[in-house]
Amino acid sequence: MPDNHYDLIVIGSGPGGASLAQRLAPTGKKILLLERGDYLPRSVDNWDSQKIFVEGMYQTKETWYGKDGKTFQPGLHYFVGGNSKMYGAALFRLRERDFDEIAHKDGISPAWPLKYDAFEPWYAEAEKLFHVHGQRGEDPNEPWSSGPFPYPPVSHEPRVQALHDSLQSDGLHPFHLPMGILLDEKDGKTLPDSICIRTPFFDGYPSPLNGKADAQVMCVDPALRAHPNLTLLTGAYVSTLETDASGKTVSAVNVTRNGERERYSADIVVVACGALSSALLLLRSANDRHPHGLANGSDQVGRNYMRHNQSILMALLREPNDTVFQKTLAVSDWYFGSDDWDYPLGLMQMCAKSQEAQIRGEALPSWLEWLPKMPFEQMARHSMDFWLSSEDLPRAENRIRYDGDKVTLELTENNMEAHQRLKKKLEQMLDRIGAHPVLLERHLYLGKNIPIGGTAHQAGTARFGTDPTSSVLDLDCKAHELDNLYLTDASFFPSIGAVNPTLTIIANALRVADRIKARL
C-alpha cells in the first residue's frame, strides 16, 4: 500500500480525534483523518425544534438493542466534528477530587492513575483552543488553574441574573457556565462582528452560523486550511483494523467509502470514534492473535460504560421568561455532598429554553392538568430549563458488545438516589422564586425517544491504567497489547465525575498528541 501509507491515521473527527490531528498537523507529517459522516449541512433547519428534536433529523438511524432485547436509536451524530456538532458546549474541567477515589452510596468512583496536575497544562490549552468563556473564582468546586479563562463569561440576561441574585442571597454560589462559544460581547450586548449571536437554538442544535466552538470549526477546518499534509476523507467507515502476524502492530485500516473497500496503513493509528463506537471497532477487529477483540486480552473493551445520570427538567414560572440565551448559569454547591447527605449529588446547569415543538412532542404528565388551557407556546414562554448530572459509577457489566451482528448496550442504572436528591434540591431552589414545584422531565433533549442518560456523555469503555489485566490502555492511552494503537476519546476515563466530559477529552488528546509527536 505505498500510496495509501501515512505517518499517522486518526479515526474520528470529534473532539478527541480533531484536537489531536490539529495538534500534530504542524509537524509536516503525512496525516489522514477518517470520518464516517459528511459535513453537517448549514441550514435554517438547524434552528427547527421539530426537525432537530422531535424528528431527530441528524441522529443516526441505526438500531441498537438493550439488555432486555428492546430496540432503540442511539443518540449519536455522524458528522465532521462528531457529536460536538450538537453538544451544549459547556466545557468544564473535572474537579481535582474527581481524580481520587470517592465513596458514593452505591459504590466507589475509582481513582485515576494520573492526577489533576498531570492534565492541568493541557486543560489550559484546551480552553484556549475551544474559546472557553468563564470566570475563575465563582465556582466553589473548580480546581486550581494556571491562569484565567481565555475569554470573559457570557453575560446573564435579566431573568437569569435575578435567579443568580436570589440563589446568592440564599447562601448558594451560582457561577457563570464555562462555554465554548464564538460570542463577542460588550456590556452584555453582542458586538456587530460577533460570529455567534444570542439565540435560544444552541444547546442540542447544530449552529448554522458556525458560532459554536465544536471540533469541526475549531480544529478540522483551520488545520486543513493551514496544513496540506493533513487529508480528510468523509463518508469513510472503518470496518476493521488488521494486525501483522505478531499481533503487536496495526498493519491496515479497512475502510468502506462510496460503496468501495479501501485499505490504508500508518506508522501510528489513533482511534477516536467516541467511547461506544471505538469499543465496537476494537471488538469487530478480532483476529487469531486477538480472539476477543483488538487490545482485549483483559476482557475490558466495551465494559465499564458510563454516561452520567442525567435529566433535562423544565420548570414553569408564573411570570414569562423572555430569556433568549439561557445557558449561562450553573450551581455546584452539592457536587460532593450536602447538609442532609454525605455523598456527592452532582451538578446543575441551565440549558436552552424549551420550545413549543419539543413540549408538544413529549408525553405530558397528569400534573399539568393544573394548567389545562395553557397552550404549548405559552408553556414554552413560561419555562426555565435545567440540565442535572450525577455520577454514574463504572460497572463491568455495563457494557457495549456484539451479539452476532447486533449491537447490544447493557446498562443497569446505579447511584440514582443521588440524582433524585439533586432534583429535590432544584425543586426547593425554584420554589423560592415562584416556579411550579413539580418539574417536567424532557426526554427529547437527549436524543429522540431516549430514556434518562441516552448516549450524550459516553465514556469508559477502554479505561487506562498501569495493569494490563484490568485496563486496555497505558498511561499514554496506547493499547497495552499493541505498539502503534492509541485511543483519544472518553473511552480512557476510569470514572466520569458529574461535569460534562468534553474538555477532558480535548485536554487528554492534546497530551497524547505530544507523546505521539515524540515518536513521529
Side-chain angles (χ1 to χ4, degrees), residues 124-146:
E125 294 199 26
E127 287 171 343
K128 288 175 186 163
L129 180 62
F130 275 70
H131 275 239
V132 181
H133 295 243
Q135 181 66 55
R136 301 273 187 239
E138 294 180 334
D139 174 1
N141 288 301
E142 74 174 344
W144 63 268
S145 61
S146 51

Side-chain angles (χ1 to χ4, degrees), residues 245-517:
S246 73
K248 292 185 176 178
T249 301
V250 175
S251 56
V253 177
N254 294 314
V255 171
T256 302
R257 192 164 68 101
N258 298 325
E260 304 289 327
R261 292 184 179 179
E262 302 172 351
R263 293 181 88 231
Y264 300 92
S265 65
D267 297 340
I268 294 176
V269 175
V270 175
V271 174
C273 312
L276 293 168
S277 296
S278 288
L280 291 175
L281 173 56
L282 297 183
L283 291 171
R284 65 176 177 266
S285 298
N287 59 31
D288 291 343
R289 290 285 184 178
H290 299 270
H292 303 295
L294 207 58
N296 197 26
S298 62
D299 188 35
Q300 294 300 300
V301 171
R303 294 188 181 274
N304 306 299
Y305 168 62
M306 301 167 286
R307 84 282 180 255
H308 281 144
N309 296 326
Q310 299 177 123
S311 296
I312 307 298
L313 295 161
M314 183 185 84
L316 288 175
L317 309 180
R318 292 190 176 89
E319 300 297 324
N321 175 18
D322 292 325
T323 305
V324 176
F325 189 85
Q326 187 172 252
K327 192 182 175 77
T328 59
L329 181 143
V331 178
S332 74
D333 288 74
W334 304 292
Y335 193 91
F336 289 116
S338 67
D339 52 352
D340 55 358
W341 214 47
D342 294 334
Y343 301 104
L345 271 63
L347 177 77
M348 292 179 191
Q349 55 185 295
M350 303 196 74
C351 55
K353 274 176 58 58
S354 295
Q355 300 298 311
E356 177 184 357
Q358 294 164 285
I359 302 170
R360 187 185 299 276
E362 300 278 1
L364 296 178
S366 59
W367 65 263
L368 281 176
E369 291 170 2
W370 71 286
L371 280 176
K373 294 181 180 178
M374 182 179 256
F376 297 120
E377 180 184 8
Q378 281 294 97
M379 287 176 62
R381 193 175 172 217
H382 285 255
S383 72
M384 183 173 270
D385 306 80
F386 298 84
W387 182 303
L388 272 55
S389 293
S390 303
E391 184 155 8
D392 175 30
L393 303 177
R395 300 281 176 90
E397 63 271 21
N398 284 350
R399 65 187 298 202
I400 189 165
R401 62 180 180 85
Y402 278 106
D403 182 4
D405 291 332
K406 296 194 309 188
V407 175
T408 298
L409 185 59
E410 298 179 345
L411 181 64
T412 300
E413 291 179 347
N414 66 70
N415 212 28
M416 289 305 296
E417 184 178 347
H419 197 64
Q420 298 306 326
R421 285 176 176 268
L422 188 62
K423 283 188 195 176
K424 185 60 68 176
K425 293 291 186 190
L426 178 62
E427 288 177 14
Q428 294 167 354
M429 205 172 91
L430 294 175
D431 203 21
R432 296 191 192 101
I433 65 162
H436 193 266
V438 185
L439 301 162
L440 170 62
E441 190 158 317
R442 293 264 325 283
H443 294 304
L444 282 177
Y445 218 105
L446 300 165
K448 181 172 165 50
N449 297 329
I450 291 187
I452 183 170
T455 52
H457 291 179
Q458 50 180 305
T461 57
R463 54 167 53 169
F464 78 153
T466 56
D467 182 357
T469 65
S470 60
S471 60
V472 178
L473 309 172
D474 69 14
L475 299 191
D476 292 338
C477 291
K478 183 186 76 66
H480 287 300
E481 299 171 18
L482 291 110
D483 297 328
N484 68 335
L485 177 65
Y486 293 78
L487 271 69
T488 59
D489 48 38
S491 21
F492 86 99
F493 283 36
S495 68
I496 196 173
V499 295
N500 310 44
T502 305
L503 192 73
T504 303
I505 297 170
I506 299 163
N508 183 63
L510 298 177
R511 182 184 75 90
V512 174
D514 286 352
R515 302 290 189 272
I516 292 174
K517 185 178 180 179

Side-chain angles (χ1 to χ4, degrees), residues 7 86 117 122 157 240 249 400 472 514 520:
D7 296 306
M86 315 295 288
D117 58 356
W122 287 279
E157 292 178 41
T240 56
T249 301
I400 189 165
V472 178
D514 286 352
L520 290 173

Side-chain angles (χ1 to χ4, degrees), residues 32-319:
L32 178 64
L33 180 59
L34 297 170
E35 170 54 52
R36 72 187 291 175
D38 203 340
Y39 274 87
L40 191 146
R42 294 179 69 185
S43 164
V44 292
D45 288 345
N46 296 353
W47 281 343
D48 188 320
S49 305
Q50 174 72 25
K51 291 178 178 175
I52 297 299
F53 290 106
V54 182
E55 298 171 16
M57 179 169 70
Y58 292 131
Q59 191 178 329
T60 178
K61 302 302 187 271
E62 290 177 26
T63 298
W64 287 8
Y65 294 81
K67 66 177 181 179
D68 56 3
K70 293 181 179 176
T71 62
F72 68 97
Q73 275 179 244
L76 301 175
H77 305 87
Y78 299 139
F79 295 99
V80 177
N83 281 316
S84 73
K85 293 304 296 179
M86 315 295 288
Y87 80 152
L91 293 173
F92 284 90
R93 300 180 181 209
L94 280 168
R95 296 17 323 239
E96 189 170 9
R97 279 176 59 192
D98 282 328
F99 291 86
D100 298 325
E101 181 178 291
I102 296 176
H104 290 258
K105 174 85 180 302
D106 285 5
I108 296 295
S109 175
W112 288 44
L114 293 176
K115 301 304 181 186
Y116 173 75
D117 58 356
F119 291 89
E120 200 285 331
W122 287 279
Y123 270 132
E125 294 199 26
E127 287 171 343
K128 288 175 186 163
L129 180 62
F130 275 70
H131 275 239
V132 181
H133 295 243
Q135 181 66 55
R136 301 273 187 239
E138 294 180 334
D139 174 1
N141 288 301
E142 74 174 344
W144 63 268
S145 61
S146 51
F149 280 103
Y151 296 91
V154 179
S155 64
H156 298 317
E157 292 178 41
R159 195 68 187 83
V160 178
Q161 184 65 48
L163 173 62
H164 168 279
D165 296 346
S166 171
L167 298 177
Q168 208 168 53
S169 68
D170 285 341
L172 298 174
H173 302 84
F175 59 94
H176 287 87
L177 260 175
M179 292 293 298
I181 185 171
L182 302 178
L183 177 69
D184 295 316
E185 296 183 305
K186 186 175 182 181
D187 301 325
K189 293 183 178 179
T190 305
L191 295 177
D193 58 349
S194 175
I195 296 172
C196 194
I197 60 173
R198 297 185 77 102
T199 167
F201 309 109
F202 183 87
D203 204 0
Y205 298 83
S207 171
L209 304 175
N210 283 344
K212 183 185 292 188
D214 63 44
Q216 173 217 320
V217 172
M218 307 315 298
C219 298
V220 177
D221 292 350
L224 287 172
R225 283 193 297 268
H227 303 288
N229 55 300
L230 173 64
T231 301
L232 169 68
L233 291 184
T234 58
Y237 171 72
V238 177
S239 54
T240 56
L241 304 176
E242 293 180 21
T243 66
D244 63 4
S246 73
K248 292 185 176 178
T249 301
V250 175
S251 56
V253 177
N254 294 314
V255 171
T256 302
R257 192 164 68 101
N258 298 325
E260 304 289 327
R261 292 184 179 179
E262 302 172 351
R263 293 181 88 231
Y264 300 92
S265 65
D267 297 340
I268 294 176
V269 175
V270 175
V271 174
C273 312
L276 293 168
S277 296
S278 288
L280 291 175
L281 173 56
L282 297 183
L283 291 171
R284 65 176 177 266
S285 298
N287 59 31
D288 291 343
R289 290 285 184 178
H290 299 270
H292 303 295
L294 207 58
N296 197 26
S298 62
D299 188 35
Q300 294 300 300
V301 171
R303 294 188 181 274
N304 306 299
Y305 168 62
M306 301 167 286
R307 84 282 180 255
H308 281 144
N309 296 326
Q310 299 177 123
S311 296
I312 307 298
L313 295 161
M314 183 185 84
L316 288 175
L317 309 180
R318 292 190 176 89
E319 300 297 324

